[in-house]
Amino acid sequence: MRHAVILAHPKSASFCAAIARTCVETLTSLGDEVILRDLYEMAFDPCMKASELPADTGFAAGPDVVAERQLLADIDSFIFVYPFWFNAPPAILKGYVDRVFCMGFGYGPAFGGTEPLLVGKCLTSFSTSGAPQHWVNSTGALKTLMAVFDLHLAGVCGLVVEDHRHFGSILSNLTQEAGDDILSDVRTTLTAFSNRSRASLRKPT
């Protein structure tokens, strides 16, 4: 399988960055191909341009979006890594989805609406927050985010949502032991996903 790990955190030393590196290392060790897209390091422009919006007069993806889509053309699995900011992904990730996964890549025109273009490809997310895990769960913050982001994106583009692992209480005083436990969870999640995918590929058709 070919994976794209899409990191949306401005600090290279952040725990999200450590999760992204762990994703790359784990999947590579399993024999999969992985590319890392660090959106802040790339200085990705999240602002949708008027010329990119579908219109009867015509529209076209920007040069940066065209290049990104070419890079992602053969990807089987998208892995988002990001912090909760006001219970939502950072603007740079939302803008990346808006511009890259829109008409012409994530979905295309069809009679009476649109049709998904990424059918069968997978989406996995790893998110973090400073809020305690129990608060994120009890308030419905994660469930709400998944409804408007993960599940909506998957539904429009035809993606299969494999998992969304959220880690709360990610603060500057996070202990080495607690951090190691979380990264172990990431490895376990990805290893299980990779094994399921390999088993599926081995099934007779």
Side-chain angles (χ1 to χ4, degrees), residues 2 14 17 23 29-30 49 61 68 78 81 86 92 112-113 119 129 134 139 144 167 172 194 201:
R2 299 190 72 243
S14 67
C23 290
S29 71
L30 293 170
K49 310 300 180 285
E68 192 68 14
F78 300 95
V81 183
F86 288 96
I92 199 168
V119 176
S129 67
H134 67 81
T139 60
T144 300
F167 306 108
S172 59
S194 182
L201 290 173

Side-chain angles (χ1 to χ4, degrees), residues 20-174:
R21 288 192 298 271
T22 299
C23 290
V24 173
E25 292 164 1
T26 300
L27 292 167
T28 300
S29 71
L30 293 170
D32 291 348
E33 295 182 41
V34 192
I35 59 172
L36 174 63
R37 309 302 290 153
D38 184 335
L39 301 186
Y40 281 96
E41 186 179 68
M42 293 160 54
F44 181 81
D45 182 358
C47 296
M48 178 75 81
K49 310 300 180 285
S51 58
E52 296 175 320
L53 292 171
D56 293 338
T57 54
F59 66 98
D64 57 337
V65 171
V66 171
E68 192 68 14
R69 289 176 171 179
Q70 290 174 343
L71 192 66
L72 300 177
D74 296 326
I75 291 298
D76 303 300
S77 157
F78 300 95
I79 300 171
F80 292 168
V81 183
Y82 60 92
F84 268 24
W85 287 349
F86 288 96
N87 286 339
I92 199 168
L93 178 57
K94 180 60 167 63
Y96 182 86
V97 169
D98 287 346
R99 296 186 67 212
V100 176
F101 285 76
C102 66
M103 182 73 77
F105 181 77
Y107 56 90
F111 180 75
T114 63
E115 62 178 356
L117 298 179
L118 300 177
V119 176
K121 297 179 185 291
C122 302
L123 172 63
T124 304
S125 299
F126 295 104
S127 57
T128 66
S129 67
Q133 186 73 30
H134 67 81
W135 183 90
V136 173
N137 292 332
S138 66
T139 60
L142 179 58
K143 185 177 180 180
T144 300
L145 171 65
M146 288 189 66
V148 299
F149 193 60
D150 305 47
L151 298 177
H152 182 73
L153 175 63
V156 171
C157 299
L159 297 165
V160 176
V161 177
E162 282 291 330
D163 205 344
H164 186 140
R165 301 288 294 158
H166 180 76
F167 306 108
S169 299
I170 305 301
L171 303 168
S172 59
N173 62 351
L174 182 72

